[in-house]
Amino acid sequence: QDLTDSKLSVDQSVTLQFDFHFESLSIILYNNDVNQESKLSFHNENFRLGELRLHLMASTGKMFKDGSMNVSVKLKTCTLDDLREGIERATSRMIDKKNDHDNNSSMIDVSYKQDRNGSQIDAVLDKLYVCASVEFLMTVADFFIKAMPQSPENMAKETQIPPRQIAMGKVKIEKDDSLRPNMTLKAMITDPEVVFVANLTRADAPALTASFQCNLSLSTSKLEQMMEASVRDLKVLACPFLREKRGKNITTVLQPCSLFMEKCTWASGKQNINIMVKEFIIKISPIILNTVMTIMAAMSPKTKEDESIDTSKEAENLWGVKSINDFNSWFLGVDTATEITENFKDTEHPLIEENCIVAVESVQVTLECGLGHRTVPLLLAESKFSGNIKNWSSLMAATANMTLEVHYYNEIHAVWEPLIERVEGKKQWNLRIHVKKNPVQDKSLMPGDDFIPEPQMAICIYSGDTMNITISKSCLNVFNNLAKGFSEGAAASFDYSLKDRAPVTVKNAVGVPMKVRPNRNLRVMGSPEKSDVFDVDAGQSLELEYACMEPSSRGKLSILSRQESSFFTLTFVPRGYTEVANIPVARPGRQLYNVRNPSVSHSDSVLVQIDATEGNKVITLRSPLQIKNHFSIAFIIYKYIKNVKLLECIGIARPEEEFHVPLDSYRCQLFIQPAGILEHQYKESTTYISWKEELHRSREVRCMLQCPSKEVSFLPLIVNTVALPDELSYICTRGEDWDPAYIIHLYPSLILRNLLPYSLRYLLEGTAETHELAEGSAADVLHSRISGEIMELVLVKYQGKNWNGHFRICDTLPEFFLVCFSSDSTEVMTVDLSVHVRRIGSRMVLSVFSPYWLINKTSRVLQYRSEDIHVKHPADFRDIILFSFKKKNIFSKNKVQLKISTSAWSSSFSLDTVGSYGCVKCPANNMEYLVGVSIKMSSFNLSRIVTLTPFCTIANKSSLELEVGEIASDGSMPTNKWSYISSSECLPFWPENLSGKLCVRVVGCEGSSKPFFYNRQDNGTLLSLEDLNGGILVDVNTAEHSTVITFSDYHEGSAPALIINHTPWDVLTYKQSGSQEEVDLLPRQARLFAWADPTGTRKLTWRYAANVGEHGLLKDECGQFPYDANIQIHWVSFLDGRQRVLLFTDDVALVSKALQAEEMEQADQEITLSLHSLGLSLVNNENKQEVSYVGITSSGVVWEMKPKQKWKPFSQKQIILLEQSYQKYQVSGDHDWIKLDNNFEVNFNKVPMEMRLPVRCPIKRDFLSGIQIEFKQSPHQRSLRARLYWLQVDSQLPGTMFPVVFHPVAPPKSIALDSEPKPFIDVSVITRFNEYSKVLQFKYFMVLIQEMALRVDQGFLGAIIALFTPTTDPEAERKRTKLIQQDIDALNTELMETSMTDMSILSFFEHFHISPVKLHLSLSLGSGGEESEKGKQEMIAIHSINLLLKSIGATLTDVDDLIFKYSPSSLIVIFLKQMYVLVLGLDVLGNPFGLIRGLSEGVEALFYEPFQGAVQGPEEFAEGLVIGVRSLFGHTVGGAAGVVSRITGSVGKGLAAITMDKEYQQKRREEMGRQPKDLGDSLARGGKGFLRGVVGGVTGIITKPVEGAKKEGAAGFFKGIGKGLVGAVARPTGGIIDMASSTFQGIQRAAESTEEVSRLRPPRLIHDDGIIRPYDRQESEGYDLFENHIKKLEGETYQYHCTVPESKKTILMVTNRRVLCIKEVEILGHMSVDWQCPFEDFVFPPSVSENLLKISVKEQSLFHKKDSANPGYLRKIYLKDTITAQRVYNAIEDAQSARHQQKLMKQSSLKLLRPQIPS
């Protein structure tokens, strides 16, 4: 040291040397003490907030003469403590140095050197611990914010100045930098720990901790600045807050990952940045999510709501005149023009070149589920990302590439299966993103400008690959588990410690103690690592966990490497037996192994059963016999010991649990006895469970046991047993024979289910006590032999009485039968109930139900009658009436009549049409009572629940107490009849007369409101209440079966208009059209307006000076008129929030501001998403079948041109022309202009290609993506255009009737050629909004769907239902209670809820249009394919549908190619009802073709071919506005369709009769009377009928009213409207049906000439193991070939195929039983088998050399002697190459070994049951 010192002093002398040392320095923050008097007194300790301490800070430095200097600063530790009083916390330390043994190291170390060449800074921050308690940090931040001076001007100054100073400072430093030669900075942060925690009070609160190493080096010189930074080993853990508590409870959220960054900046400002991340592995599990959510929740500030303000406002007079100066509305102030100048400044910057490259080599996200910190991965997403950003400070442009692949974990097979597959099995699915910023347009655009500005930011997301998604049952299961896990985990209160289970549990059920040795990848929980053999006693278990959770190899996740079955194995040794070594335990299943007992001659088999639940595996070692008890009582199991002739108990089989028979009792005879309460009533069974004696006869053995009662006179207890073979996944016997593995099920012979909302009692003949059966529960009837005994039933407390009935239980019961119950009252009353009989094996399930439940919610007395039944239903609606018809066949069509209070009987109606609503009229003396009827199916599909409700209900949602009165027919006000409704109450309302008007008043006030209609749809009318200076809002919501009248308080915007006279000159006078009361509004005043007569015409008439006008207050409009020579006055109607404003002004600026949204604006952003195609494969992995493939695909080649700014496709005809000549050009390379057609010339050689006639513009060759979505947003407008090109649903089931289930129908050639290619679905929506309003205005809403075909067969339907119904939940089968719970719950909801469906989302539609829908429907009841056992199971799903139909009394019929065509207004209602009528032949409640509502003349009701529809995008729409083409439907539709008329009631049968139009009926009869001459004529006539129907229907809406008016005056006009509307629906349908009948008379039907649509791809092959692998086209084609062209042997499956290079098309195929060679037969074009070699005939194993495969098989000749040695015959097959040959060879080997296992499974064990070993 001295030497260096002296050297220094030679050349330069020190001018200053300093040393500072602090022992410690502390800063304490205090909150203000409110009571503190003087400022000088000491701070109160209670108000401490926190303390910051610096320990041992030392700084030393030297300055030299020549200006250079060295300074160094060290700080040992720095701590920050939270000292607040009254807050519990686990620790108060917030910042600290990490606990560390090396005491000398300092936490912060900075050294600074400066000399001639520049300066250098080195900084190290070591071992920092930060507890980022969100709440404390917020408090400290708050402390500093509050310290700011409070006066507003100062506040503003204070907050604004610092940023500027900082900015200035920065600029200066940069300047100095350029003078100073250079500077280098090196900084290191080593090993910090940051803990995020939300709740400090618990030491084990969930927290996230992050740790990393960070290096930064920065060097600047005159020309450039270089920076390199790296963050290494960044890892995030989720764990308890304090270290002591952690232990094993740690979950890695982010595996250690590294990030590198280089940045280079030149003096010119050019920048280059490189960012690289190697791999990024994140895990998300419920506990992690919970932790993050709690932390986020603590961060978000709590909102305090001030509700006091609102109430004070309401006191002022709503209807008073206000001065304009009181309004602070946005549209009255006009902006000052500042923005544009700022924009100009922006654009002056020179363009600086900037470039940034980001690359992430791999991202892996796993979603895990499970309990606490032990989770199991369920979803795994892998991705790569690379991106490039340019010029971000000016006009940014960025591109990025991303790939994606997703797998889910299939627990059943313990493998990963694809969810989002690779493209064609090779590369990952790829997505490209482009982002581009465009300059801001400063000129405001006028509509009609040719040019549409580029959006300020355009984002384009594009994928050219097909995204293939595979969804299987296990995948749905995974999503289910995830949803369940995450919803539980997200609940903050969830306590994980409750549910922690070991990942692997080993249970010993062999009956003798044994030793277990897990391999190195499994370890016993909580045990030291050393020992590896564990003893497990009989009946005990051992808990294991995975030893290596960290990924063993980088790259793929550890979880993926766990797929190898050898990864986890166990070895076990039962005492007294040989060992079973290395059993793979990764995959669930049942494996059979043999063990030997040295003292006995034969071997025993043991079974390893592996079950997986929620990611935890349970491994049970047991004997091959298991007993499953399906009773609700337990049984004791005994074994018979031969030599002492005694029974010994071996255990208890509990209800619904598996009981494992011990190994030594496997060969014994087993007896049973009921346990528990019944143990003392019954003896052991008289016979033993027989199973092995019968095995040689059948695989399934049944027998019946009887346990005699201890009391002689009572019946024995009956148990049915069924022995079924266990399903084994693997048999390993080393060539010996094995013991058959069986499961014995114990079933009751009879189960009784009570599906009534009342309880039952039952008594079986010959038993002592009766049993109670509560509603919705089931019971085992223990004594029934089903041999004709009588069962007595009592229905308890139904209508206050008990009712008795009885029936015989025998084998021959029909599926449904009636039981008549009679009451025990004085007069005999009866009620009929039904019983449904279901037989499962040898047991019978009887369900007692009532076909109809009638529920009265009308609060009046109802009566029902049908033929000879008459039932009274009291007004108290809590009781449910059980109703059924008397007929023997309960399923014939039945009708019922209704009577309410004092009315007469209604006409009869059906109770069968489930899902329909309607209303029934009961005529009274001068009135009609309307009762709403709704029919729902019960959850168990046997009863229909019929609810009767009042047609009208009144709901008071306002804060006032109201009284409602009905206006008399003569229009006089009500005098005495006022009904009272308190606040938030809902009452039925029964009108007394036909006026249809009500008025309302507030209790305690004299005056009442103006009358309003209660029977017309009304989305809110404000009734003024003058007495209160206020108003009340009334809504009327009409539906088919109810009308709801709702009163609510006035809210902002509910008045029809706010009228503002913003002119200084004259008075504005206004009134409701047709009303007398005029109102004057002086200049510069404003006032709210309400309709003077809500039942009158809703138009406002105004007068200003000499100008008069009228406005409907529904649309945005504006206009102007001259006031005098110089002044124009403008009026404008627009929405401010929800409030419609009518403004009169002379200031044009106000008008343009109010209508700001009308202009075309530059879009702020535009997002375009285009996906080439999408495939969804639905797989049922239980029966190893791909059910369906849904594809959204792109078009073929489409040529487009760009006449203005937008690319537009050519018409189909021109596309064909262009494509043909383009193909020629590809060959010839012609450089000139090519003439394609007269007036059509193009040049392919230019770049871009160009067209010069008919117009000059660029053209391009492209295609339309399968999915294309464009979204644009500008300050006042959003537009969305979504197109789906082609949607097809294929059925992938073998031998299906309709391979393509759904597809768009291509239009006829002639039409198609003239128009451009149309997408199948096209949606365009344009909405406007402004900053000040919540209301959406739909400027344009259009949906166009092309013609489509749906063809369904029952097999496909069954397969789809089976896929989506969860595997029969064993719980559901076992459910003994609460069978009807959900039905009861639904009934208990009050009347209020049935009527108050809230429709009040506010939206205004201007152009609203949904195109007509044309659908071809074919149904078939065949299921196609072979009817195998599999088929039987699929049908279970359809069983419930059939049951439903059976109970409606309908039978399904085949339907072939019906065509439905509807205009949209009536579409939804009618479609379902048509289906009912046409397919099921049913009567529908109410009018069979649905009531048509809301056909205003504004909405189109005409049917046109969808193909001719056109959808406009935002640009075309804007053009349309300019030209001023207001379309047919320019009438704004507020909320729902504006209603013209409603037609109620049932219209008689017969289609022609529906149309009340005589002429139509007449024409129709004539038409049908003439016979067609030939097919052509018949088709023509059919078509004509249809066309006439359509045209007539459409014109009818317009012409009928007019004809009516001519003939009968005004009444006729309305009658005519009715005729027109009904005609619109009935006529076209009538036309269709005639067309069918008339066409059939012509001899045959000509097939439609559309191109056949074929499957998108052959069905996926799923191998025998049932694992779904990524789709492989080659093997799928082979599988398809095998399924459809080859006669299969029994149990044969496809394995492999390849083509053989020969002259003809020859294919070599390997199945699991033989090798085949298949050739194509030339003439017929189908495949035939050339030769075949079954594996049994192989003499030697096959062999391979190069590309030659040799197979030696037995000679097939006839002359060969059977027994002589067969030399074999050698087949030589030359294949394409060596690899193929090797593959075929491997396929044959695999097939042979698989076949061997299969045979083992198939053949039952040959081991004859030997005589019992004496024990």
Side-chain angles (χ1 to χ4, degrees), residues 378 411-412 472-483 1367:
L378 290 182
E411 284 191 333
I412 301 168
S472 64
K473 272 192 108 149
S474 48
C475 169
L476 293 171
N477 199 10
V478 162
F479 284 126
N480 229 344
N481 284 346
L482 278 175
T1367 324

Side-chain angles (χ1 to χ4, degrees), residues 214-406:
C214 175
N215 281 354
L216 171 74
S217 73
L218 174 71
S219 65
T220 51
S221 64
K222 277 186 184 154
L223 299 174
E224 57 180 22
Q225 178 185 10
M226 297 286 293
M227 183 176 95
E228 284 187 14
S230 68
V231 176
R232 288 199 177 77
D233 293 336
L234 167 64
K235 83 168 187 231
V236 181
L237 307 172
C239 55
F241 172 36
L242 289 188
R243 207 155 257 255
E244 306 79 75
K245 296 277 180 191
R246 289 188 190 159
K248 289 241 174 100
N249 300 332
I250 297 184
T251 305
T252 311
V253 180
L254 175 64
Q255 300 270 14
C257 80
S258 308
L259 184 148
F260 303 99
M261 171 174 160
E262 297 173 0
K263 177 178 170 188
C264 192
T265 316
W266 285 272
S268 64
K270 179 177 168 186
Q271 286 191 33
N272 256 347
I273 303 181
N274 253 343
I275 300 175
M276 203 180 105
V277 179
K278 275 280 191 204
E279 60 178 355
F280 197 66
I281 302 178
I282 295 187
K283 169 157 120 185
I284 303 173
S285 69
I287 197 166
I288 294 171
L289 189 72
N290 193 357
T291 308
V292 174
M293 275 170 57
T294 13
I295 293 172
M296 296 296 284
M299 277 171 144
S300 58
K302 303 277 178 290
T303 49
K304 294 196 183 73
E305 288 162 6
D306 304 334
E307 288 175 357
S308 50
I309 305 171
D310 295 352
T311 47
S312 58
K313 271 189 191 164
E314 287 178 11
E316 61 175 333
N317 181 358
L318 204 53
W319 309 109
V321 174
K322 302 183 189 59
S323 157
I324 281 191
N325 305 337
D326 301 348
F327 277 93
N328 187 13
S329 293
W330 57 272
F331 50 83
L332 294 179
V334 175
D335 300 348
T336 48
T338 49
E339 300 160 6
I340 294 181
T341 53
E342 286 177 12
N343 290 353
F344 276 133
K345 275 184 195 155
D346 278 358
T347 50
E348 286 165 15
H349 287 311
L351 240 173
I352 298 174
E353 193 181 320
E354 296 164 319
N355 193 4
C356 171
I357 295 170
V358 183
V360 181
E361 286 185 12
S362 110
V363 179
Q364 296 180 355
V365 181
T366 54
L367 277 179
E368 312 216 338
C369 212
L371 314 162
H373 291 282
R374 280 207 205 95
T375 52
V376 171
L378 290 182
L379 264 191
L380 166 68
E382 297 179 61
S383 171
K384 288 194 190 60
F385 176 87
S386 62
N388 184 353
I389 309 171
K390 291 193 166 79
N391 308 337
W392 52 89
S393 57
S394 48
L395 290 178
M396 178 180 86
T399 57
N401 258 346
M402 191 185 120
T403 65
L404 181 65
E405 181 176 8
V406 183

Side-chain angles (χ1 to χ4, degrees), residues 70 103 197 249 252 291 606 1055 1062 1192 1690 1738:
N70 292 347
N103 287 328
V197 63
N249 300 332
T252 311
T291 308
V606 289
H1062 188 270
I1192 296 176
E1690 185 245 345
F1738 279 21

Side-chain angles (χ1 to χ4, degrees), residues 506-510 514 572 574 580 583 589-595 604-611 618-626 658 660-663 666 724-732 738-743:
V506 181
K507 285 189 177 164
N508 174 5
V510 181
M514 64 181 191
F572 67 88
V580 179
I583 305 170
R590 302 185 172 199
Q591 314 167 12
L592 189 104
Y593 296 91
N594 274 355
V595 290
D604 282 317
S605 300
V606 289
L607 207 140
V608 181
Q609 173 179 334
I610 305 169
D611 302 306
V618 179
I619 300 164
T620 314
L621 304 167
R622 59 175 180 87
S623 74
L625 186 62
Q626 199 177 50
E658 296 176 340
H660 310 294
V661 176
L663 194 55
Y666 172 76
L724 293 169
D726 209 339
E727 293 182 13
L728 300 179
S729 53
Y730 180 69
I731 299 176
C732 166
W738 67 94
D739 293 327
Y742 266 75
I743 302 177

Side-chain angles (χ1 to χ4, degrees), residues 1009-1023:
S1009 76
K1010 298 287 196 305
F1012 61 91
F1013 287 117
Y1014 63 81
N1015 51 9
R1016 303 188 184 173
Q1017 176 78 26
D1018 183 347
N1019 297 326
T1021 296
L1022 186 65
L1023 306 171

